[in-house]
Amino acid sequence: MASVAPDASAAGRDSPSVTQLATDSLAVGIAFFAILSVLQRLVGFGRSLVFCHLMSDEELGRWSLSFSFLMMAAPFAVLGLPGSFGRYFEHYRMRGQARRFLRRILWPTALLAVTFATIVLTAPATVSLLLLGTTEHAALIRGLSIALVLVVALNVTTELAIAMRQVRLVSIVQFIHSILFAIFACGLLATTSLADQGVIVGYSLSGLIALGLATWLLVGKVKSLAPDRERFDSELIDSQSSERSFWLRLLPFAAWLWVSNTLFNLFDTADRLMIVHFARGYVSTDALVGQYHSSRVVPTLLVAVSGLLAGVILPYLSEYWERGDRAKASRTTLLTLKVCTLMYVFGAAIVLMLAPLFFGTLLQGRYDAGLQILPGTLVYCIWFGLTILAESHLLCAEQARSVSLALILGLVVNIVLNAILLPRLGLVGAVTATAIANAVALCVTLRLAKSWGLQLDRQTVALTALPIVLLLGSQWTLATLLVIALLVVRYGMIFDAAERGILLAAWNRLGHCVPRPRWS
């Protein structure tokens, strides 16, 4: 890896066939991402609120697990191949081999996705037993097999667009997808008796339209790529050695990325699966999952934002890494962690303040158990989101197996503690176990990232413990944040001079990106 950056830079400068791809700058990308993500999360919040109203606890629990299955099965089915776009697209584009790189990834991905969906379609009872604890929902699983293909295709186009640093395109498509999902799913819930199956139909329809839009917008960008060079460096002496060197480089990364993605989704779903299989003393495990899901409606928005943000910054980190500026990649990761921690904790404090209104009035007191565990859910979702962001540095360093190690440790802790605490404490035990597991995963991820060049400082380490204050309530959390704000403004703590300069420049750039009204 030490020799990659100089070679890549030279390849990009010396090759006449490598054209400059029109991309969004990091500041512009983050600006569009921030604006549309807020709007998208508001749409998602409203949609989840309608789901809670129009579905029973059991139906809500089945939808929660079905959605988790889609998010888990999509990367699992394609062996992590599309995930390599973010790390390697710029590498091969600089060497004049972008189109060949895409062809080599897209065809196997399509074949794997169709094969996996066919397996799910032909064994719905088995999947239903594993996912929902019963074979009674085979029809629901058949619908999921169709939705799975659409999710894979949409993920592929999204990963490619982000790798090409078309952040505005991705933000717009995802926003439209969210709106259409809300319209279709809520409409089907209100006008039919399909319940959780109707939500899956709505998700599939919105995904199909979003896929068509993303493909149409992305085709022109792909066509603008320079034609492939016939030879470059020592990798392309002949086609056979080219193919071998390509897969020898990419397959280990893709394989470990596949493992880490699978562990990531298992890590996210383990607590609910443990409820299904270990909470047998309760009247309905589906209803218990529904109560648990109600506590995750808002906190998981933070996780989703982290996932999107990690995807946005990875191509930029990869560019810094390829050009040899490892220090800039490290600074970007640390600054992202600091800013997101403070924003997440502030947002979580506001959520706690509004929680009685949300659960008592909007949800009519149906989810009191969800309200009880909300502070703990917010804590572990913030830690989960920070883990996702910290993993970007490891992926940039091609250390997907280190990501897997952190997730394995966290998953083992999650399963063991859930098995002990869940039967005794119910949902409180599930949240406690999951929070400890997320803390372990975050600590291990940061330690491994430090060993691969992340210049971890004490301020970042201290901030990662800040979410714990949410357990004391919104007032103590806001008071703590006020103290931190005074330390930043008065004494320049938390952010160093370089980081303050970057934040100020980003704020000024954001001001130029947002149109201002003219007064005449």
Side-chain angles (χ1 to χ4, degrees):
M1 278 299 298
S3 63
V4 168
D7 293 343
S9 181
R13 290 193 306 266
D14 299 340
S15 171
S17 65
V18 178
T19 60
Q20 183 67 32
L21 179 66
T23 63
D24 297 327
S25 70
L26 182 57
V28 171
I30 293 296
F32 270 83
F33 164 81
I35 295 170
L36 288 184
S37 287
V38 170
L39 296 176
Q40 184 180 350
R41 296 311 129 194
L42 290 175
V43 172
F45 173 75
R47 181 185 65 230
S48 298
L49 185 62
V50 174
F51 287 0
C52 291
H53 269 292
L54 297 182
M55 286 195 286
S56 66
D57 295 0
E58 291 82 359
E59 292 163 349
L60 187 64
R62 286 196 294 270
W63 158 244
S64 177
L65 288 169
S66 297
F67 183 73
S68 294
F69 170 78
L70 290 175
M71 298 301 102
M72 178 170 56
F76 180 86
V78 295
L79 304 181
L81 291 177
S84 63
F85 286 155
R87 178 59 187 87
Y88 288 113
F89 176 81
E90 187 66 22
H91 175 82
Y92 284 100
R93 190 191 71 81
M94 285 181 173
R95 288 160 168 73
Q97 293 293 316
R99 295 190 178 192
R100 180 177 296 184
F101 169 68
L102 295 181
R103 287 194 301 270
R104 285 169 166 172
I105 298 298
L106 292 178
W107 282 111
T109 298
L111 179 61
L112 289 168
V114 172
T115 301
F116 189 87
T118 302
I119 294 173
V120 174
L121 184 63
T122 55
T126 302
V127 177
S128 177
L129 179 63
L130 293 174
L131 182 65
L132 303 172
T134 175
T135 60
E136 297 177 359
H137 302 293
L140 183 68
I141 300 302
R142 293 190 186 96
L144 285 178
S145 67
I146 299 172
L148 178 61
V149 176
L150 293 172
V151 172
V152 170
L154 190 57
N155 284 352
V156 169
T157 56
T158 300
E159 292 281 357
L160 178 56
I162 291 177
M164 297 175 73
R165 286 176 281 168
Q166 306 300 316
V167 183
R168 283 179 288 184
L169 184 156
V170 173
S171 300
I172 292 171
V173 169
Q174 289 181 336
F175 180 60
I176 292 174
H177 182 204
S178 184
I179 291 178
L180 292 176
F181 177 35
I183 294 172
F184 291 148
C186 295
L188 289 170
L189 282 175
T191 59
T192 70
S193 59
L194 291 175
D196 44 344
Q197 295 187 32
V199 176
I200 293 172
V201 172
Y203 189 80
S204 300
L205 290 175
S206 61
L208 182 62
I209 296 174
L211 175 62
L213 176 62
T215 303
W216 177 64
L217 293 174
L218 201 57
V219 164
K221 302 293 183 180
V222 174
K223 287 182 177 179
S224 70
L225 295 173
D228 291 335
R229 297 172 58 191
E230 292 301 321
R231 299 171 180 269
F232 67 94
D233 299 335
S234 60
E235 295 181 1
L236 293 180
I237 297 176
D238 55 60
S239 59
Q240 184 176 4
S241 64
S242 166
E243 194 76 18
R244 183 168 56 251
S245 64
F246 173 83
W247 289 111
L248 285 176
R249 179 183 180 90
L250 186 136
L251 276 181
F253 179 85
W256 281 111
L257 186 62
W258 174 71
V259 171
S260 64
N261 281 336
T262 302
L263 291 169
F264 170 87
N265 288 294
L266 281 174
F267 190 71
D268 183 45
T269 315
D271 44 7
R272 281 161 289 163
L273 290 176
M274 294 292 286
I275 292 173
V276 169
H277 293 284
F278 280 82
R280 292 300 181 184
Y282 295 85
V283 175
S284 170
T285 55
D286 285 344
L288 202 62
V289 173
Q291 290 283 338
Y292 190 75
H293 176 81
S294 70
S295 76
R296 289 168 50 90
V297 167
V298 177
T300 51
L301 298 180
L302 303 177
V303 178
V305 168
S306 293
L308 292 172
L309 183 57
V312 168
I313 66 172
L314 180 58
Y316 296 92
L317 295 179
S318 297
E319 183 190 16
Y320 304 151
W321 197 275
E322 290 288 329
R323 297 190 182 280
D325 196 349
R326 310 288 174 84
K328 188 174 183 179
S330 175
R331 287 196 305 271
T332 302
T333 303
L334 290 179
L335 185 57
T336 302
L337 287 171
K338 291 179 181 179
V339 172
C340 286
T341 300
L342 294 172
M343 291 180 61
Y344 289 172
V345 174
F346 176 76
I350 301 301
V351 170
L352 288 180
M353 291 180 62
L354 299 177
L357 173 65
F358 175 65
F359 282 88
T361 304
L362 298 181
L363 296 183
Q364 301 173 337
R366 289 176 51 199
Y367 297 95
D368 289 338
L371 176 59
Q372 181 185 3
I373 62 175
L374 178 62
T377 305
L378 285 166
V379 171
Y380 82 67
C381 282
I382 291 175
W383 280 337
F384 195 19
L386 296 179
T387 301
I388 296 171
L389 295 172
E391 287 172 355
S392 299
H393 184 86
L394 290 172
L395 294 178
C396 186
E398 298 183 285
Q399 294 301 313
R401 55 182 160 184
S402 295
V403 174
S404 301
L405 175 60
L407 292 174
I408 286 175
L409 292 175
L411 183 60
V412 170
V413 171
N414 199 343
I415 292 174
V416 171
L417 290 182
N418 261 296
I420 296 172
L421 299 178
L422 182 57
R424 295 172 173 80
L425 302 177
L427 293 183
V428 174
V431 171
T432 302
T434 306
I436 295 173
N438 276 277
V440 170
L442 176 58
C443 291
V444 174
T445 300
L446 290 175
R447 180 63 186 86
L448 291 172
K450 183 179 181 181
S451 66
W452 287 100
L454 183 66
Q455 298 171 4
L456 194 62
D457 54 34
R458 289 177 294 178
Q459 293 90 334
T460 305
V461 174
L463 281 180
T464 58
L466 182 61
I468 296 177
V469 76
L470 290 166
L471 299 178
L472 302 177
S474 59
Q475 294 179 340
W476 279 102
T477 302
L478 292 175
T480 303
L481 290 173
L482 178 60
V483 172
I484 292 175
L486 291 174
L487 292 176
V488 172
V489 175
R490 184 70 177 84
Y491 300 103
M493 298 177 65
I494 308 298
F495 301 103
D496 60 28
E499 290 171 336
R500 292 195 296 273
I502 293 172
L503 290 174
L504 181 60
W507 178 261
N508 293 333
R509 186 75 64 89
L510 178 60
H512 291 301
C513 293
V514 178
R516 299 176 180 177
R518 288 186 176 182
W519 304 94
S520 58

